[in-house]
């Protein structure tokens, strides 16, 4: 079992040996050996640190010392990754052969697929397009934006520059947030050189992705006078618009669109004033671009004018060619209309969405609600029925609209000893467990997820295999992998795997002491930490309830925990006491509304106060959740509230209502909070 305390002790000792390995201290090495820490573990950690530092010499030495270890292949893998970053010249042929040998020796493994992906990016940078296209089909996990750009560039160049591929390239560059990567920049440069992409459109797309440094570099593709003008616009859009709005020429339409896009991020109201004065100079597509961006930024800022500003863009909003972040433009038009209670606009916006976006459960549900608001109940129920069998937030809400209770699906047959044995013999899972033992969770997740996706001749595991893998994770103390693996099953389900309840006595005691529903606390912890006791986020939050250091200290003082120290924050009882006490404070601060308190736990108590204050009217809790401006917090609230419902079903053994839990959120002045 990978118990958290034991994992910490081993990791500390292994880090000490890794440091000794790096500096060559015999005394330190012998001292750590007395702690019986495997030298292979220390060498792996030393190799990982050298890789992170880009030190090829130190990495080679550490990799050679790994010996027979589950992670032996990673020493060579990390070495190859560093070589790929630096070798694109005369030594490339030898490197290509080394990579081919590595992939042949490690067939159907994560490291082979990942090194192939990195190699393809290297081939793209070297413009060896024939080799790239030849090897591309062999990549299993190839949904990489930069690789898509290189692949499209390779097809465009080798197929003699067809206009259809140029259009595909423009759409890709407008849509992807990774459009400033080396591969996507190479694609953009090729299209600009062939006059298949306007350099103004390229700069505007980068600005709309808030990649201002890349936008400044992209101005180099413009004639010198235009480049200077674009640079001025990026720095001072309002000044440029003030100077030019009354004497705009046809040649200045693109600069004007850039200025409006840039200004709308900081000041949508001022951008709308300028756009209104320029409206007669813009064609239908250009109005869609300008007003779509203004409406988008206003909607994210929860401004009530967003609906009207979107409307100025007409049917071209979000669908005009070269619209950057087109999906987000349309999603936020729908969200702005939801806040305003404008069901006709909700409906028309969703019906303009491209099919993959419109098929997202969120928009299937809200499309159904818009149809119901128009009196088209039968059509609405067809929409609900599409997603009512799903277990996430909108599946539950759709089921409730159809009058179906939220209950557990039939329990799968327990995993057999034979099924479990096949997981125990999986080398990839053993590599994942080795990473977890060393505290390298991200590396472990990559190995674990790879096994789930390619177990059967390159295809995903069956439901039975997923359940067995989840049980294997449970028995090895890796609860987060148990949850994520079990969540992938499609026809057989074990909700004790999906919604485990460890530490139940301690959690229920602390929750009840704080006057909280234990099922809500469980739902929150499942989202915060997936029950990893000693986890620390990149922001510094720690433990089951992911407490920030300052918050933990503040709450400890409030409850009179005189023996509290920062090192104790990951102790289960301490973390639960401080976390539930703080959650109670947040709940009281927000008038006892669990959806608002859930948002506050993630984003801080001040923000939900401001979001509620900006409401034009009382709204359903689901509308409030869907229109939270922060992507992370929006997803967090929906998942925590959804989790709590299933924990309530498991604990109470009766049907539950998500709608009732979400309640209604009414506008209220933000006021101030005393909470950290």
């Amino acid at each position: 079992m990978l118990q958290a305390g034991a994992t910490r002790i081993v990791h500390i000792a292994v880090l000490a040996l890794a440091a000794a390995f790096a500096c060559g201290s015999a005394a330190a090495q012998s001292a750590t050996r007395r702690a019986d820490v495997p030298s292979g573990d220390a060498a792996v950690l030393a190799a990982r640190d050298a890789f992170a530092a880009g030190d090829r010499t130190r990495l080679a030495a550490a990799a050679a010392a790994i010996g027979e270890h589950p992670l032996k292949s990673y020493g060579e893998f990390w070495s190859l990754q560093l070589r790929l970053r630096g070798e694109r010249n005369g030594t490339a042929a030898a490197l290509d052969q080394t990579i081919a040998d590595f992939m042949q020796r490690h067939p159907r493994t994560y490291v082979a697929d990942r090194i192939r992906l990195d190699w393809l990016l290297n081939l793209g940078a070297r413009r060896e397009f024939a080799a790239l296209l030849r090897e591309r089909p062999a990549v299993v996990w190839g949904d990489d934006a930069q690789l898509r750009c290189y692949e499209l560039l390779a097809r465009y160049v080798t197929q003699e520059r067809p206009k259809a591929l140029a259009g595909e390239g423009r759409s890709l560059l407008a849509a992807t947030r990774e459009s400033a990567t080396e591969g996507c920049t190479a694609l953009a440069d090729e299209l600009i050189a062939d006059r298949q992409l306007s350099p103004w459109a390229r700069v505007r797309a980068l600005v709309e992705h808030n990649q201002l440094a890349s936008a400044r570099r992209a101005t180099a593709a413009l004639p010198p006078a235009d480049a200077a003008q674009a640079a001025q616009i990026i720095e001072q859009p309002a000044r440029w618009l003030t100077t030019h709005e009354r004497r705009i020429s046809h040649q200045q339409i693109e600069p004007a669109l850039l200025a409006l896009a840039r200004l709308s991020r900081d000041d949508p109201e001022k951008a709308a004033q300028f756009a209104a004065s320029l409206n007669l100079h813009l064609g239908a597509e250009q109005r869609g671009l300008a007003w779509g961006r203004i409406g988008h930024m206003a909607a994210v800022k929860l401004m009530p004018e967003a609906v009207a500003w979107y409307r100025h863009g007409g049917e071209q909003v979000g669908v005009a060619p070269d619209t950057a972040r087109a999906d987000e433009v349309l999603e936020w038009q729908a969200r702005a209309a939801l806040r305003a209670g404008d069901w006709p606009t909700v409906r028309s916006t969703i019906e303009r969405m491209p099919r993959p976006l419109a098929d997202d459960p969120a928009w299937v549900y809200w499309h159904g609600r818009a149809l119901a608001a128009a009196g088209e109940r039968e059509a609405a129920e067809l929409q609900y029925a599409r997603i009512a069998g799903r277990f996430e937030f909108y599946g539950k809400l759709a089921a409730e609209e159809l009058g179906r209770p939220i209950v557990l699906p039939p329990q799968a047959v327990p995993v057999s000893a034979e099924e479990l044995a096949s997981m125990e013999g999986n080398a990839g899972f053993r590599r994942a467990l080795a990473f977890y033992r060393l505290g390298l969770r991200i590396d472990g997740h990559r190995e674990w997820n790879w096994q789930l996706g390619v177990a059967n001749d390159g295809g995903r595991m069956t439901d039975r295999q997923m359940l067995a893998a989840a049980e294997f994770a449970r028995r090895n103390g890796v609860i987060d992998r148990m949850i994520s693996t079990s969540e992938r099953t499609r026809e057989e389900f074990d909700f004790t795997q999906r919604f485990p309840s460890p530490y139940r006595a301690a959690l229920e005691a602390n929750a009840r002491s704080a006057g909280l529903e234990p099922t809500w606390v469980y739902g929150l912890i499942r989202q915060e930490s997936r029950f990893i006791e000693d986890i620390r986020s990149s922001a510094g939050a720690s433990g089951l309830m992911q407490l920030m250091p300052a918050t933990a200290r503040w709450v400890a003082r409030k409850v009179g925990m005189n023996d509290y120290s920062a090192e104790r924050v990951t102790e289960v009882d301490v973390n639960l006491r401080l976390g539930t006490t703080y959650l109670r404070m947040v709940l009281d601060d927000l008038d006892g509304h669990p959806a608002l308190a859930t948002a506050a736990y993630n984003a801080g108590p001040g923000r939900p106060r401001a979001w509620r204050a900006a409401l034009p009217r009382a709204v359903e809790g689901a509308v409030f959740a869907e229109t939270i401006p922060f992507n992370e917090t929006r997803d967090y609230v929906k998942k925590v509230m959804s989790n709590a419902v299933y924990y309530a079903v498991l604990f109470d053994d009766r049907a539950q209502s998500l709608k009732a839990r979400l309640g209604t959120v009414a506008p209220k002045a933000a006021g101030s909070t005393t909470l950290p």
Side-chain angles (χ1 to χ4, degrees), residues 128-386:
E128 295 191 19
F129 296 140
L132 186 154
L133 293 174
R134 183 180 66 249
E135 296 291 336
R136 173 65 180 89
V139 176
V140 177
W141 283 3
D143 188 21
D144 178 272
Q146 184 169 203
L147 178 57
R148 278 184 277 134
C149 284
Y150 270 135
E151 180 185 8
L152 191 52
L153 173 60
R155 290 166 55 206
Y156 178 72
V157 170
T158 59
Q159 295 175 23
E160 299 182 1
R161 296 168 161 73
K163 288 188 177 181
L165 284 180
E168 191 177 334
R170 288 193 297 271
S171 298
L172 176 60
L173 292 168
T176 181
R177 289 182 178 273
E178 290 75 28
S179 62
T181 59
E182 187 175 350
C184 294
T185 297
L187 173 61
D189 289 346
E190 197 82 26
L191 295 177
I192 289 170
D194 286 352
R195 303 194 178 204
Q196 296 297 318
L197 173 65
S198 162
W200 281 106
R202 170 65 172 161
V203 174
R204 174 166 40 82
L206 290 167
V207 164
E208 289 169 341
H209 284 292
N210 202 30
Q211 296 170 336
L212 300 186
S214 296
R216 293 184 188 98
R217 288 192 294 272
T219 62
L222 292 162
D226 286 349
Q229 185 175 210
Q232 179 196 352
I233 290 169
I234 292 171
E235 301 305 321
Q236 297 178 308
R239 181 176 179 180
W240 187 93
L241 286 163
T242 299
T243 303
H244 294 86
E245 65 172 325
R246 297 189 182 280
R247 47 190 180 85
I248 197 83
S249 67
H250 178 74
Q251 289 75 24
Q252 291 173 322
I253 295 297
E254 284 285 11
L257 290 173
L258 174 62
L260 292 172
R262 177 70 180 92
L263 182 59
S264 64
R265 175 171 292 277
D266 299 328
D267 193 341
E269 184 174 12
K270 185 173 287 188
Q273 293 169 0
F274 282 118
S277 68
L278 295 171
N279 223 31
L280 291 175
H281 299 282
L282 304 178
E285 290 181 357
Q286 294 162 341
R287 284 194 295 273
L289 290 168
W291 287 106
R293 184 62 52 206
I294 294 167
H296 178 198
M297 292 295 101
V300 170
K301 294 176 184 293
L302 306 182
M303 297 172 66
E305 299 90 345
V307 174
W309 290 342
Y310 264 122
R311 194 172 292 128
H312 289 322
E315 294 295 305
Q316 291 297 317
V317 164
V319 297
D322 300 336
T323 298
R325 300 167 65 185
D327 285 2
E328 292 178 59
V329 170
L330 289 168
E331 286 183 305
W332 276 103
Q333 184 171 17
R335 290 178 183 131
L338 280 173
R339 285 175 66 87
D342 183 351
W343 290 107
T345 298
V346 172
R347 176 178 180 174
S348 64
T349 302
I350 295 171
E351 290 175 355
R352 287 203 329 275
M353 289 178 177
R355 178 54 55 194
L357 180 60
D359 286 341
D360 183 279
W363 305 121
V364 172
Y365 174 76
W366 291 117
H367 190 208
R369 291 290 305 278
L371 291 168
E376 300 178 37
R377 184 67 199 175
E378 186 175 344
E381 290 182 351
L382 288 174
Q383 293 298 307
Y384 302 143
R386 292 175 59 194

Side-chain angles (χ1 to χ4, degrees), residues 255-521:
L257 290 173
L258 174 62
L260 292 172
R262 177 70 180 92
L263 182 59
S264 64
R265 175 171 292 277
D266 299 328
D267 193 341
E269 184 174 12
K270 185 173 287 188
Q273 293 169 0
F274 282 118
S277 68
L278 295 171
N279 223 31
L280 291 175
H281 299 282
L282 304 178
E285 290 181 357
Q286 294 162 341
R287 284 194 295 273
L289 290 168
W291 287 106
R293 184 62 52 206
I294 294 167
H296 178 198
M297 292 295 101
V300 170
K301 294 176 184 293
L302 306 182
M303 297 172 66
E305 299 90 345
V307 174
W309 290 342
Y310 264 122
R311 194 172 292 128
H312 289 322
E315 294 295 305
Q316 291 297 317
V317 164
V319 297
D322 300 336
T323 298
R325 300 167 65 185
D327 285 2
E328 292 178 59
V329 170
L330 289 168
E331 286 183 305
W332 276 103
Q333 184 171 17
R335 290 178 183 131
L338 280 173
R339 285 175 66 87
D342 183 351
W343 290 107
T345 298
V346 172
R347 176 178 180 174
S348 64
T349 302
I350 295 171
E351 290 175 355
R352 287 203 329 275
M353 289 178 177
R355 178 54 55 194
L357 180 60
D359 286 341
D360 183 279
W363 305 121
V364 172
Y365 174 76
W366 291 117
H367 190 208
R369 291 290 305 278
L371 291 168
E376 300 178 37
R377 184 67 199 175
E378 186 175 344
E381 290 182 351
L382 288 174
Q383 293 298 307
Y384 302 143
R386 292 175 59 194
I387 59 171
R390 300 171 68 106
F391 299 133
E392 77 284 324
F393 186 82
Y394 281 112
K396 293 183 181 69
L397 290 178
E400 289 196 62
E401 293 294 336
L402 294 171
R404 301 178 189 174
I406 298 174
V407 296
L408 299 180
Q411 176 77 8
V413 173
V415 171
S416 69
E418 292 77 15
E419 289 173 316
L420 187 60
S422 69
M423 300 301 119
E424 292 170 344
N426 184 298
F429 285 153
R430 290 199 299 273
R431 287 191 291 271
L433 292 180
F435 274 128
Y436 296 144
R437 186 180 69 246
L438 298 178
L440 299 174
R441 300 200 68 85
I442 299 302
D443 297 275
H445 291 350
R446 290 169 181 149
E447 274 287 355
W448 188 278
N449 292 336
W450 170 265
Q451 308 312 313
L452 303 181
V454 300
N456 300 317
D457 295 325
R460 72 189 298 276
M461 284 186 172
T462 66
D463 278 6
R464 294 302 304 174
Q465 290 172 314
M466 294 281 189
L467 293 173
E471 186 60 30
F472 174 72
R474 188 207 304 262
R475 297 192 184 193
N476 282 276
V478 195
I479 297 178
D480 62 315
R481 291 304 92 194
M482 176 186 73
I483 295 170
S484 66
T485 303
S486 192
E487 279 187 320
R488 297 178 184 228
T489 61
R490 297 172 178 173
E491 296 178 358
E492 294 193 58
F493 311 105
D494 183 344
F495 270 49
T496 68
Q497 292 179 343
R498 292 188 180 208
F499 296 91
S501 51
Y503 327 107
R504 188 159 176 177
L507 187 146
E508 289 188 342
N510 280 283
R512 292 197 174 105
S513 177
L516 300 175
E517 185 182 2
T519 55
W520 180 35
V521 179

